[in-house]
Amino acid sequence: MKVTKYSGEIVNYEEQKLINSLKKSGADNAVAKAIVKKIEGELYEGIPSKKIYKMAFQELKSVSKAHAARYNLRSALIGLGPAGFFFEKFIAKMFKEQQFQTKTNVFLEGKCISHEIDVLLKTKNTVSMVECKFHSSQGAKTDVKVPMYILSRFNDIKNLEYRLFQPNEKISNCIIVTNNRFSTDAIQFGECSGLKMLSWNYPEGNAIKEIIDLHAVYPVTCLTTLSQSEKEKLMILDCITVKDLVQNPKILTQIELSHNRIKNVLKEANQLTTNHKL
């Protein structure tokens, strides 16, 4: 049987691939196989992969909301849009969990023009600029034009001294982050040019999806017990990650949730951040 991916590509349906993706959410092997068996009767030739995902998500949600939240992670990153501002804030928090000092939306004067830097990072004596490329469609890729453009911006500021985290600091590294994937040419150009690249699935073993799970720094948009409008209200209040919510549960009263709703949201949030090492 054939499946239509987000990009429009037609591929073979792989049962084991679906089972593995469910297991990565935290579901055990028996649960994953039972879910796949249940939904396979509803599959048809050429079915969109997003429809398979939605069916699996709903079944997983009935078993464990925390597992469903992890399974929903890639869509949750898209939920940080549509403009990408909250994605930039999320990336800063993700690096902060890795013991970096961070600043967001910094304006710097380069040799030629002024620049707005999405995120600045500092670890030890090294300062890096982070440029975020947000896509609101899961099938979109960041192509080679993006690292070529960002390299020119990096070159315009890298040898200059600024007051960043302390006076007289220079930016010595550049990192490009996207919520989706890089094209092959983009990765090749980035590696050749000395740029660091970070995407949903790159570099292997230390991509966004692995970092999120390792540090339990899940975006609040992955929670299944909140509506999209409620998630947006939380993000406006600078509650970007599930950890932010756990650390400040009273914020849920600010978005006018009932006592029972608050109880359910915090139950999911605590399960997600406590039992994250899969």
Side-chain angles (χ1 to χ4, degrees), residues 192-243:
C192 178
S193 303
L195 299 173
K196 296 182 180 180
M197 316 278 280
L198 180 63
S199 74
W200 170 253
N201 66 334
Y202 181 88
E204 187 175 350
N206 195 36
I208 288 177
K209 57 184 179 180
E210 283 95 12
I211 294 170
I212 289 174
D213 273 332
L214 180 62
H215 296 279
V217 58
Y218 299 100
V220 73
T221 46
C222 73
L223 292 172
T224 67
T225 45
L226 289 170
S227 68
Q228 183 59 33
S229 64
E230 289 164 347
K231 294 169 185 176
E232 288 171 2
K233 289 176 183 177
L234 287 175
M235 291 190 290
I236 289 169
L237 294 171
D238 203 38
C239 181
I240 308 295
T241 71
V242 178
K243 280 188 176 181

Side-chain angles (χ1 to χ4, degrees), residues 7-204:
S7 62
E9 182 185 358
I10 307 296
V11 298
N12 290 324
Y13 167 69
E14 297 180 51
E15 179 186 272
Q16 191 58 49
K17 189 174 180 180
L18 180 55
I19 290 171
N20 290 343
S21 69
L22 289 164
K23 288 170 66 176
K24 285 178 182 177
S25 75
D28 63 32
N29 191 56
V31 168
K33 285 187 174 181
I35 289 173
V36 170
K37 185 176 181 181
K38 187 169 183 178
I39 69 174
E40 279 187 336
E42 300 180 51
L43 304 186
Y44 54 86
E45 191 66 33
I47 186 172
S49 60
K50 63 182 178 182
K51 190 166 185 178
I52 297 175
Y53 157 78
K54 285 181 180 178
M55 288 190 289
F57 172 75
Q58 289 300 326
E59 292 296 330
L60 189 57
K61 188 177 173 181
S62 67
V63 176
S64 167
K65 288 181 171 58
H67 292 168
R70 290 192 193 97
Y71 189 68
N72 190 42
L73 184 54
R74 193 168 179 199
S75 295
L77 292 178
I78 292 175
L80 292 167
F85 171 71
F86 294 125
F87 177 65
E88 293 168 12
K89 298 193 80 172
F90 172 75
I91 292 301
K93 286 177 179 285
M94 188 181 78
F95 277 107
K96 193 171 183 179
E97 285 291 327
Q98 300 173 75
Q99 307 305 310
F100 286 87
Q101 295 180 62
T102 66
K103 286 187 176 183
T104 56
N105 303 110
V106 178
F107 289 87
L108 298 175
E109 196 66 38
K111 287 179 291 187
C112 302
I113 61 171
S114 61
H115 303 271
E116 181 180 4
I117 309 302
D118 293 336
V119 184
L120 282 177
L121 307 177
K122 184 176 181 181
T123 179
K124 297 180 180 178
N125 295 318
T126 301
V127 178
S128 304
M129 62 177 276
V130 179
E131 290 299 294
C132 299
K133 181 62 178 176
F134 178 80
H135 295 284
S136 57
S137 169
Q138 193 162 307
K141 286 187 177 182
T142 297
D143 65 25
V144 70
K145 293 190 294 293
V146 173
M148 291 174 71
Y149 166 67
I150 292 174
L151 178 63
S152 67
R153 297 183 63 209
F154 175 51
N155 286 336
D156 194 39
I157 63 175
K158 68 177 180 179
N159 293 319
L160 303 180
E161 288 190 347
Y162 300 98
R163 173 181 280 276
L164 301 171
F165 298 90
Q166 293 178 343
N168 305 318
E169 291 183 317
K170 293 183 179 181
I171 297 172
S172 55
N173 288 314
C174 180
I175 306 170
I176 305 174
V177 181
T178 181
N179 61 310
N180 273 3
R181 302 173 190 267
F182 292 111
S183 69
T184 303
D185 283 351
I187 292 173
Q188 184 177 345
F189 180 86
E191 290 178 343
C192 178
S193 303
L195 299 173
K196 296 182 180 180
M197 316 278 280
L198 180 63
S199 74
W200 170 253
N201 66 334
Y202 181 88
E204 187 175 350

